[in-house]
Amino acid sequence: MTEQELDMPIDPGLTEMTSGPGYRLRQARERKGLDIGEVSDRLHLPPRLVSAIENDAYADLPGTVFTQGYLRNYARLVDESPDEILTMFT
């Protein structure tokens, strides 16, 4: 890696993909051996919304209040702290 490459700023989109609440929920889901379909069934959400949550694609979700509820319920489902997940979201 060159000195010039080291001085380049980190791509914020790349950082978010591996550090947002959706990424953390996806990791927890995978640890529990659940697939998106199972999460979708248990949360009563379409699979496309579960995917949007996991990809931190909040523009694809129906508003902040609903998104917070989805994150909270998803966190409970995969044994993550809802408070920590919501803090990551805000």
Side-chain angles (χ1 to χ4, degrees), residues 18-40:
T18 60
S19 64
Y23 179 78
R24 183 166 162 185
L25 292 170
R26 179 184 315 141
Q27 295 298 310
R29 171 182 62 78
E30 291 172 351
R31 278 193 306 275
K32 293 187 77 62
L34 299 172
D35 63 33
I36 287 179
E38 291 170 305
V39 171
S40 170

Side-chain angles (χ1 to χ4, degrees), residues 10-20 23 56:
I10 296 174
D11 179 359
L14 180 61
T15 303
E16 187 175 323
M17 287 187 334
T18 60
S19 64
Y23 179 78
D56 295 309

